[in-house]
Amino acid sequence: MCGIVGYLGTQAATGILISGLERLEYRGYDSAGVATVWEGKIHSVRAKGKLYKLREKLEGQDTPATIGIGHTRWATHGKPEEHNAHPHLDMSQRIAVVQNGIIENYRELREELKGKGYEFLSKTDTEVIPHLISDILQETKAGDEPFLEAVRLTIARLEGAFAIAVVCADYPDELITARQQAPLTLGFGQGEFFCASDITALIPHTRAILTLENGEMARMTPLGMEIYNFAGDRLKKTPRTLDWNPVSVEKQGFRHYMLKEIYEQPAVVRTNIEAYVTDTEHPINLSINPPEFLDGIEHIQILACGTSWHASLVGKYLLEQLAGIPTFVYYASEFRYSPSPMMPNTLTIGVTQSGETADTIAALEMEKERRSHKEEKFKARLLGITNRSESTITHLVDQVMYTHAGIEIGVAATKTFEAQLMSFYFLALELAARRKTLSDETIHQILAGLKQIPTQIESILEDQEKDIEDLAHAFVDTQDFIFIGRGINFPIALEGALKLKEISYIHAEGYPAGEMKHGPIALLDVKVPVVAIAMPGAIYEKVISNAQEAKARDALLIGVAAIDDREAEHTFDKILPVAAVDELLSPLLTVIPLQLLSYHIAARRGLDVDQPRNLAKSVTVE
Ligand code: AGP
């Protein structure tokens, strides 16, 4: 979603802001802008569309300013037009503001400001901020720190989840930034300071970073960075050193980040095995402290969105089948406003690769709050499964499992999904070991199977990518797809359909294979391909029968099936083969050809695979 970059230092700010915004492009946006302070004036340039449009407008207009703010906007209030793009300025054009998130009480503030004669040029919620700062500055000029104080008093009037960065032509050596439930990280260079919505924008410049907490603001000046809380108290905080390798955010020769990230999955699975599997008598170490946190759990509820919700459905299967714990998976956005009745001794798991998804964060906060008034056995026990340390979820939950996938730039989640699945395998096995629902021997067998997964993924990538690329040619004009699966592979059918619609804009539906005859079968004809996941196991024959039903309606049948499965060879028009693993482990493999299929269909259609239209990597509004 929206991305913020701010710079104060000795280099020309515009170039740094633009390259920072480029590194935030993956978050999703539809307009962009920058504002710098130079020769006592704000220089603001905005453009609808992608960053190259902004770059074109900046040609010849660039200033040598060494302070500025930049923004990529994902439209919420007001269409993606230039007049709604950030930065937004006050009427005297002395103050410029960029904002991420939503100001919920902007309508009241707007009316109040209009009553005082302020004119609005956009439909955004953001525009109230520069007017409010300007209004307060006019009244409090006498204060010691007028600009800082005016921003602080403005923030006190804002409701919602937001991060902002502000510059003012009257205070040309100050950049002020603040965070309230929207991500913002500060960077410390040699005589220069940065802020950004994501570390990716800071990596080329510095490894010394500090994540602002909710309710904190920072003032950058040439003399240093000062941190305050919203009450105005100065805070003492020390930056930490980031151990990221800048190369990890490059494409490394791949045509798209998504393809690179699909290829990184064997390494991601290996890293997770190294992180969570031990050679000791107790083979899994989740690093949950205190370990009793996982004792006495009677129910599990999982809150997530999108692909993370699909991973959670696989998780439910594992937690119920391996550890015998009744598990309920909810869309976070639904749970937030219609929560289930409270059950005692419940583990609540929030799953989010970004750690910032507003729906998931809000649902977890609600759950924590409503349980805080209850007796001990109803108190919230919160576990977060995330790929981003320092993200909002890590501050909210009691325990965290990191998914160790490395930064994912492609908007379509691939390697982080695989990594989330790994977390659920480890969690389910750990709970099974504690509750003795599986023997040690079975746990070791499953772990041995997990250790084979990286090479099995490598085989799919090596042997099949070319075939899948060729197959994708047939679907350039296809308008509808159906994906079917059962049991533990039903969520993979959902994920296959989501991947395809996200990046190729082809309408796709995922169904439990047995449900097709209860309605969706009416959609089938020669123009609607059906992809069936048919791995050996308890419901294999049933899936094959469901696939036959589709074939009888002339649908082109593609099967994700085990290598050398003769029955599948007779059933399907085209097979995407994977190793014949135990059904329990199969989602880790069956999702791979589906990721490749959607990637190649989208690439073949010439679409922007890494930044599909209307989508954001990190969805920070509810
Ligand atoms: C996945 O391909 C999508 N981009 C989207 O559904 C995503 O999974 C969802 O927005 C949740 O994101 P999160 O995991 O960061 O919470």
Side-chain angles (χ1 to χ4, degrees), residues 305-308 351-354 357 411-413 420 498-499 502 619:
C305 307
T307 287
S308 296
V351 185
T352 162
Q353 73 78 22
S354 63
T357 299
V411 162
Q420 288 169 344
L498 179 67
K499 283 291 88 84
E502 277 190 302
V619 185

Side-chain angles (χ1 to χ4, degrees), residues 396-613:
L396 178 62
V397 296
D398 306 306
Q399 305 286 338
V400 182
M401 282 183 74
Y402 290 108
T403 54
H404 302 290
I407 177 101
E408 185 174 73
I409 302 280
V411 162
T414 52
K415 62 175 179 171
T416 54
F417 173 75
E418 187 80 358
Q420 288 169 344
L421 296 187
M422 292 302 288
S423 292
F424 277 118
Y425 282 98
F426 297 135
L427 180 63
L429 289 174
E430 170 64 15
L431 287 167
R434 284 173 186 237
R435 299 159 67 90
K436 307 220 176 310
T437 50
L438 292 181
S439 67
D440 289 352
E441 195 191 344
T442 306
I443 291 175
H444 277 103
Q445 267 171 9
I446 296 173
L447 286 173
L450 284 174
K451 288 178 184 168
Q452 300 301 313
I453 295 290
T455 33
Q456 290 161 341
I457 300 175
E458 276 158 0
S459 301
I460 299 171
L461 296 171
E462 276 162 31
D463 303 344
Q464 281 196 56
E465 201 206 330
K466 182 75 186 68
D467 266 9
I468 292 176
E469 188 176 359
D470 293 344
L471 177 68
H473 292 191
F475 305 121
V476 175
D477 297 318
T478 300
Q479 292 186 354
D480 304 278
F481 253 91
I482 302 276
F483 291 74
I484 55 174
R486 289 181 89 143
I488 197 168
N489 274 306
F490 162 53
I492 302 305
L494 293 177
E495 178 59 8
L498 179 67
K499 283 291 88 84
L500 187 66
K501 59 188 143 192
E502 277 190 302
I503 59 170
S504 72
Y505 317 146
I506 293 175
H507 168 242
E509 304 269 1
Y511 272 99
E515 270 295 299
M516 207 175 55
K517 58 188 174 296
H518 297 290
I521 201 163
L523 296 171
L524 298 188
D525 64 21
V526 72
K527 288 190 272 176
V528 183
V530 173
V531 181
I533 304 160
M535 290 299 286
I539 29 88
Y540 172 78
E541 294 297 343
K542 300 274 183 234
V543 179
I544 293 288
S545 303
N546 300 142
Q548 296 284 11
E549 291 156 13
K551 198 171 183 178
R553 272 83 194 169
D554 296 329
L556 177 80
L557 257 195
I558 300 167
V560 179
I563 294 170
D564 296 333
D565 176 343
R566 300 285 166 244
E567 188 166 355
E569 282 167 13
H570 290 302
T571 306
F572 295 107
D573 299 310
K574 172 75 193 167
I575 294 204
L576 309 178
V578 303
V581 294
D582 191 302
E583 191 179 19
L584 186 82
L585 301 178
S586 62
L588 291 160
L589 299 183
T590 52
V591 74
I592 309 290
L594 301 187
Q595 294 170 344
L596 286 171
L597 184 64
S598 37
Y599 169 78
H600 280 296
I601 293 176
R604 183 74 197 169
R605 290 180 141 209
L607 297 170
D608 190 348
V609 173
D610 288 331
Q611 292 169 44
R613 68 183 179 200

Side-chain angles (χ1 to χ4, degrees), residues 42-85:
I42 299 274
H43 296 259
S44 175
V45 181
R46 305 180 294 177
K48 176 183 170 180
K50 293 292 178 186
L51 275 174
Y52 74 90
K53 299 261 186 200
L54 179 65
R55 254 186 261 109
E56 279 170 12
K57 288 184 89 174
L58 279 165
E59 266 168 38
Q61 284 200 42
D62 217 352
T63 71
T66 56
I67 174 171
I69 53 179
H71 192 262
T72 44
R73 172 175 188 257
W74 188 84
T76 55
H77 297 69
K79 290 188 171 184
E81 298 291 346
E82 186 178 323
H83 64 270
N84 289 326

Side-chain angles (χ1 to χ4, degrees), residues 276-295:
Y276 290 112
V277 180
T278 72
D279 285 334
T280 64
E281 207 182 314
H282 196 100
I284 293 161
N285 179 6
L286 301 183
S287 302
I288 285 194
N289 199 6
E292 298 77 48
F293 178 82
L294 291 178
D295 286 346

